[in-house]
Every structure is written in C-alpha cells, then in structure tokens.
Amino acid sequence: MRGGVPLAFFARLLGGQPATEASDGYDGYEFWLGADERGTGGALIVMREDEPMVPDEPYCLVWGVQEGTTYGGVRSVTVSEGQVEFDLAPGNAAELDVPRTFRITFAPDQTETVRRGLQRTLGEEVVA
C-alpha cells in the first residue's frame, strides 16, 4: 500500500474519455481503472497526449488520485478475461512505488472496454 492506496484492487469504475485543451490542458485521451469514485480504494489513470511535447513519452500513468506519476516505461500490458497485468521498466515502477509487474482485476464483461481503452492510451504495440 502506498499512501493509503492499495497495490491490488478490483476496478468497479472504469472507462475512458477524450481530453481537450480547454478542459484538461491537453488534447488526448484518459482511461481510468478505479475501485471507487475518489480513487482511495485503488486507481490507475492512463493519459495520452495526441501531440506530445516529448515524443518518447506520449503517455503517463497516475497511481491513486495523485499518489505518483510516471511518464512512459510500460513494457507490456496483457489484458485477459477480468484482469490486466502491467509490466513496467524498473525506474518507472519505482517512481510510482509499485512492483515492476502488477495486476488489476475487473468484471469479466468489461474486458474489451479495458483492452480498447489501454490500446488508445498506451498503443496497440504495447497492449496484448
């Protein structure tokens, strides 16, 4: 547990939405996996900027509500029925204060929603 945010949680709330310059400060997409609306029961937010200032870091991961943030560093993501497993580069995992590999579970009927949302934010080459 980091700062009160559990390392393992069941995502009851998940989904994505476009981000705009006017409302979010950038144009892109955000995808949320959260245990509750406030993120205190566990949350991972993945944000992708459509035209990033640093091309090698088009996305960031935010753990909890604002417990930690890292840019880039996702080696792979495996989405299977009712769960997603992340494999991060060691430095990026350290920035979030999470294990290099971790898993988030969710309702099995949400598997394709999670796959599409993570492909939109992290890229199809990263998400299997």
Side-chain angles (χ1 to χ4, degrees):
M1 184 175 295
R2 180 184 201 281
V5 177
L7 289 176
F9 63 90
F10 182 85
R12 288 175 181 79
L13 302 173
L14 51 90
Q17 65 183 26
T20 64
E21 183 72 39
S23 64
D24 304 294
Y26 71 99
D27 290 319
Y29 195 77
E30 298 179 358
F31 190 76
W32 166 277
L33 291 153
D36 55 51
E37 288 182 17
R38 295 183 8 194
T40 55
L44 177 68
I45 306 164
V46 185
M47 297 180 268
R48 181 177 194 91
E49 193 170 356
D50 288 339
E51 295 183 25
M53 292 177 59
V54 180
D56 293 343
E57 297 176 350
Y59 62 85
C60 72
L61 305 176
V62 179
W63 187 255
V65 177
Q66 291 185 353
E67 297 291 323
T69 301
T70 191
Y71 293 85
V74 178
R75 291 179 167 176
S76 68
V77 173
T78 304
V79 180
S80 56
E81 188 174 349
Q83 66 181 12
V84 57
E85 184 171 304
F86 289 81
D87 179 15
L88 304 182
N92 297 88
E95 284 183 334
L96 292 180
D97 197 17
V98 299
R100 192 177 59 79
T101 61
F102 62 91
R103 181 177 300 135
I104 299 171
T105 57
F106 49 85
D109 65 344
Q110 296 295 311
T111 300
E112 285 309 307
T113 298
V114 171
R115 184 184 323 279
R116 284 190 309 273
L118 293 174
Q119 285 175 334
R120 171 67 173 91
T121 52
L122 298 172
E124 292 184 15
E125 66 280 359
V126 174
V127 179

